[in-house]
Amino acid sequence: MIKIEHLSKNFGSLSVLRDISVEIKEGEVISIIGPSGAGKSTFLRCINLLDRPSSGSILIKGINILDPKIDVAKVRQKMNMVFQAFNLFAHISVLENLTIAPMKLLGKSRESAEKKAHELLNLVGLSDKAGSYPDELSGGQKQRVAIARCLAMEPEVILFDEPTSALDPTMINEVLSVIRRLARQGLTMLIVTHELDFAKDVSSRVFYLDEGGIYEDGTPRQIFENPQKEKTKAFIKKQESFYQHIVSSNYDLYALIAEVDCFCSRLMVNVQSRKNLMVLIEEVLQLFRKSTLSFPLDMTVNYEEKTEMLELLFEAPPGSVNPMLTESGDNGSALPAIESRLQSQEYRQLGGRNRLSLYLKKP
Amino acid sequence: MIIQTVRESAAMVVSLSGRLDTVTAPDYEKKFDELISREEINFVVDFDKLEYISSAGLRVILATSRRIKGKNGKIHLANISGNVKEVFEMSGFAGIFPVYGTVAEALKMITG
């Protein structure tokens, strides 16, 4: 239904979207997720021509909508958009908000447009608000009117641009349940959202946007339960990372632990976990220092906000050995201090690097 | 880490404050080298103000103690509490050294 080929979008020298090619089939409900600034809304706005792509083509049922001869208003009728900020006409009633465009652009009679408007208000649970003005409605109600207004134009595709991000938590569900209902009716929808549970539940397909493109594309099950790529994994697990490249064994321990402490403090990591992490950093680095082959060493602290899991990951060059095996259990050994703080550990070779993953016990 | 020393009649009292870790363990070693070179052989190490000790700290205490023992001297530990106590217990150090509740108790024990 929609075929996007080599789509790119630049704002001046800033490249937001780079060479996106993807095909969207009729009836697919696609959630577009990803970090802020990944280009999710820009991607949607390019499809709707609210932002003109810098290059590439967008074919809708075989017609390239970037062709200069195309009537953009007609394109937008087929592909209507629901905005974060509702964008209702404040000076006219809810009913008029729903009828004005079908009458003016689709040439519908008032009677026919109003009949449809009442059906749609019923669909979004607002049949009693036809005579109200937008200012008399809550945020959730306004967004439901915006969805009904979008449907009034009988679009083939609906684009939702963060439809719940301007709403209070109490109002989010009422809007999401309306979108769920539409998804069940087989409408083709692209939804930019930060509501990951909703995306998992409602979509037939998920695009994870990052690095200027569709970084990972899959079913909700694939993306949420078994993401294949690093950034998708980090995003889904709400994982934050601190990375440090340690050039040699003459590292500045205090500067390092001060930076890690700052990272932990920003994420409000439990105080005991922080202390344990600092001990582990010092002790494990000491073990690595026993061999010059261990350096340069990459150290990453991963923190999963959702599960409060802290991982301390070391990646050492080829030829290095597992430092946990070089330590005897003698008096003064670092092992008791390390092992008493761990839930599990794993050592493996990956891509020519030796990876030691230490998972901290939860306090 | 700050290291302060006071000469009592029975022994040299070495008070530690701050962190005894990878970075500061060489300072501890250096201070004891200096004291041993002055023929000091009996020590009480006061941990009252020590906030943190790592295995590098434990190792340097053990290594220093062995050197002192080689000169027929002895090291006594006092005021071990909190995090430092936990580390001592976890590593089995509490059983290796004579540990006293206070510096005064340690000095009394040395005097006999």
Side-chain angles (χ1 to χ4, degrees), chain A residues 344-358:
Chain A
S344 63
Q345 56 176 296
E346 183 185 74
Y347 185 79
R348 63 186 173 128
Q349 289 190 318
L350 195 75
R353 305 279 285 166
N354 296 325
R355 288 166 62 108
L356 174 65
S357 289
L358 305 172

Side-chain angles (χ1 to χ4, degrees), chain A residues 62-97:
Chain A
I63 298 165
N64 185 4
I65 62 168
L66 297 179
D67 185 335
K69 293 173 204 149
I70 287 288
D71 181 348
V72 174
K74 280 251 162 62
V75 170
R76 292 207 186 108
Q77 284 171 26
K78 285 184 188 172
M79 213 162 29
N80 222 333
M81 189 150 171
V82 174
F83 299 89
Q84 184 180 339
F86 328 128
N87 296 0
L88 296 176
F89 299 117
H91 63 292
I92 56 176
S93 70
V94 165
L95 187 69
E96 288 168 301
N97 261 283

Side-chain angles (χ1 to χ4, degrees), chain A residues 251 253-254 257 272 275 278-280 282-283 286-287 289 327 330-334 336-338 340-341, chain B residues 1 19-24 52-59 62 66 83 86-87 90-93 96:
Chain A
Y251 52 85
L253 177 70
Y254 290 169
I257 61 177
Q272 189 54 48
K275 283 184 181 168
M278 303 309 160
V279 172
L280 286 172
E282 181 187 346
E283 299 292 0
Q286 270 292 94
L287 298 186
R289 279 176 82 166
E327 184 79 337
D330 297 344
N331 287 321
S333 161
I338 295 172
S340 66
R341 288 173 170 82
Chain B
M1 182 178 63
R19 295 169 58 97
L20 180 51
D21 57 20
T22 315
V23 178
T24 57
Y52 172 83
I53 188 164
S54 71
S55 64
L58 295 178
R59 281 193 296 273
L62 190 64
R66 283 181 181 147
N83 290 335
E86 274 175 38
V87 175
M90 193 192 299
S91 60
F93 260 54
I96 301 174

Side-chain angles (χ1 to χ4, degrees), chain A residues 30-87:
Chain A
I30 299 177
S31 288
I32 301 168
I33 61 169
S36 299
K40 304 184 295 292
S41 293
T42 303
F43 179 57
L44 220 56
R45 291 171 68 85
C46 280
I47 296 174
N48 201 22
L49 302 182
L50 285 171
D51 281 328
R52 197 156 184 93
S54 305
S55 60
S57 63
I58 301 172
L59 285 90
I60 300 190
K61 292 186 171 172
I63 298 165
N64 185 4
I65 62 168
L66 297 179
D67 185 335
K69 293 173 204 149
I70 287 288
D71 181 348
V72 174
K74 280 251 162 62
V75 170
R76 292 207 186 108
Q77 284 171 26
K78 285 184 188 172
M79 213 162 29
N80 222 333
M81 189 150 171
V82 174
F83 299 89
Q84 184 180 339
F86 328 128
N87 296 0

